[in-house]
Amino acid sequence: MHKGNEESGFNVKRFAQAVLIGSGVSVAGCLLILLAVSGIILSGNMSEGSSGAILMVVLFISTIGGGFLAAGRHGSRFLIVGAVQGIVVFLIICLIGLIFYSNFLPSHGGVQIFLSGLAGSISGAMLKNRNKKTGPNLRKKISK
């Protein structure tokens, strides 16, 4: 008789740890890059009007790293890990926006933020696990 989920292949604790660590890395990376970009905007080298597009690009890039890390820590079910990690990053970014900016409205650009985070985290998870199904052993079996 098995003990809970240990032998079923899905461990909720490991899943939650992977998602939270990946989300933390994504948000920290995003905030650090946005801090540098805000310095560039304040110095006058970039217009403030492009900040929405910059947020999408920075969020996409940082969630690629978080999705890569989360999928590496969990191992199996990498698409689910990446999707949940993207949703958690979206919620954290919206929470930060609501706390620190009085005129923040998730309805203005919220869908773009959500899709950027989701696409980045799933892409990172897929990058981490791209060779698991077509590894060298499977290629040898197919060619025979």
Side-chain angles (χ1 to χ4, degrees), residues 61-110:
I61 292 170
S62 66
T63 53
I64 285 176
F68 190 85
L69 180 67
R73 288 191 58 87
H74 190 264
S76 63
R77 299 184 181 158
F78 60 93
L79 287 177
I80 296 172
V81 171
V84 171
Q85 189 254 336
I87 293 168
V88 170
V89 168
F90 167 72
L91 293 174
I92 292 171
I93 293 292
C94 285
L95 185 66
I96 290 170
L98 287 171
I99 290 172
F100 290 109
Y101 302 107
S102 60
N103 58 357
F104 176 77
L105 292 173
S107 61
H108 297 307

Side-chain angles (χ1 to χ4, degrees), residues 21-57:
I21 289 173
S23 299
V25 167
S26 294
V27 170
C30 184
L31 292 178
L32 287 175
I33 295 170
L34 287 175
L35 183 66
V37 169
S38 68
I40 294 170
I41 290 173
L42 284 175
S43 69
N45 294 333
M46 191 181 304
S47 70
E48 191 175 338
S50 62
S51 62
I54 291 170
L55 173 65
M56 300 308 140
V57 171

